[in-house]
Amino acid sequence: MSVSDCFIIDFPKITDKRGNLSFIENNCHIPFAIKRVYYLYDVPAFAERGGHAHKHLTQVLIALSGSFDVHLDDGQHKKIVTLNKPWQGLLISNNVWRELKGFSSGSTCLVLASEYYVENDYYRDYVEFLHSMSV
Ligand code: T46
C-alpha cells in the first residue's frame, strides 16, 4: 500500500436551510465494514496526533468541524491532505505512516476503522516502519 492508495471520499450531502446533513452507511459509502468509531476533540492547536502506521487497519478520517492537516508517508512518497469539509473523508490504507497537525480551534476528527483496537497492529517507531516497508 502507498500514499496513492489514500484518497478522498465524498459522502452524500443533503443541503437544507435548517442546516446540512451527511450520512455514511456501512459497506456502502466506504470500502470496508466499520468495526470501530472514535473521535479526537479538544485538540490544542500545537498538538500532533498519529505518528504511526498500521499493519492491517484501514480507516477513514473526517473533519466533522474545523480543519487539520494529515501528513502521509509510505516510506517512498509523501503527501499532505488538508481536511476541512464534514462531507468528505480521507481513506488511509494500512502501511501508511500518518501524522495529524495544524488543528484549528474547536476541530473534531471522526474516525471510522476497519478493525477493533489492537496495539500490536501499530508501527509506532518510524525506523522500524521504514525497515518493514523495505523488506
Ligand atoms: C490514527 C489516529 C488518527 C484506545 O484504547 N482505543 C482506540 O480505539 C484508540 C484509537 C486509542 N486507544 C488508546 C491507545 C492510547 O493509550 O488511546 C490512547 C491514545 O491513542 P493514540 O496515541 O494512538 O492516539 P492518536 O490520536 O495518536 O492516534 C489515533 C489512532 O490510534 C490512529 O490509528 O490513525 O488517531
Side-chain angles (χ1 to χ4, degrees), residues 36-40 43 48-54 57 59-61 68 70 92 96 98-100 103 109-111 113 115-119 121-122 124:
R36 178 165 53 106
V37 175
Y38 63 93
Y39 37 98
L40 308 174
V43 182
E48 297 185 4
R49 308 282 320 206
H52 47 246
H54 286 278
L57 178 80
Q59 51 190 7
V60 171
L61 276 57
F68 51 87
V70 186
I92 307 179
V96 173
R98 81 288 314 267
E99 295 174 1
L100 281 62
F103 286 89
C109 173
L110 179 74
V111 184
E115 305 296 337
Y116 299 115
Y117 175 74
V118 179
E119 181 57 34
D121 188 62
Y122 284 74
R124 291 195 184 268

Side-chain angles (χ1 to χ4, degrees), residues 25-58:
E25 295 183 349
N26 209 19
N27 287 318
C28 180
H29 299 106
I30 58 174
F32 57 80
I34 300 165
K35 284 193 180 165
R36 178 165 53 106
V37 175
Y38 63 93
Y39 37 98
L40 308 174
Y41 54 98
D42 291 346
V43 182
F46 56 82
E48 297 185 4
R49 308 282 320 206
H52 47 246
H54 286 278
K55 298 170 185 171
H56 302 291
L57 178 80
T58 299

Side-chain angles (χ1 to χ4, degrees), residues 2-121:
S2 69
V3 295
S4 60
D5 296 306
C6 302
F7 55 90
I8 290 288
I9 301 173
D10 287 324
F11 301 121
K13 181 181 180 185
I14 314 290
T15 56
D16 191 311
K17 60 187 176 190
R18 299 171 298 167
N20 300 330
L21 182 154
S22 289
F23 58 93
I24 302 162
E25 295 183 349
N26 209 19
N27 287 318
C28 180
H29 299 106
I30 58 174
F32 57 80
I34 300 165
K35 284 193 180 165
R36 178 165 53 106
V37 175
Y38 63 93
Y39 37 98
L40 308 174
Y41 54 98
D42 291 346
V43 182
F46 56 82
E48 297 185 4
R49 308 282 320 206
H52 47 246
H54 286 278
K55 298 170 185 171
H56 302 291
L57 178 80
T58 299
Q59 51 190 7
V60 171
L61 276 57
I62 304 167
L64 277 191
S65 61
S67 69
F68 51 87
D69 299 324
V70 186
H71 295 242
L72 302 171
D73 177 356
D74 59 22
Q76 293 199 323
H77 302 99
K78 299 183 181 189
K79 183 163 83 172
I80 301 174
V81 179
T82 298
L83 290 179
N84 55 12
K85 298 179 177 66
W87 66 92
Q88 287 187 336
L90 171 65
L91 184 140
I92 307 179
S93 55
N94 61 319
N95 289 330
V96 173
W97 190 268
R98 81 288 314 267
E99 295 174 1
L100 281 62
K101 307 177 186 181
F103 286 89
S104 69
S105 174
S107 56
T108 304
C109 173
L110 179 74
V111 184
L112 312 176
S114 67
E115 305 296 337
Y116 299 115
Y117 175 74
V118 179
E119 181 57 34
N120 194 38
D121 188 62

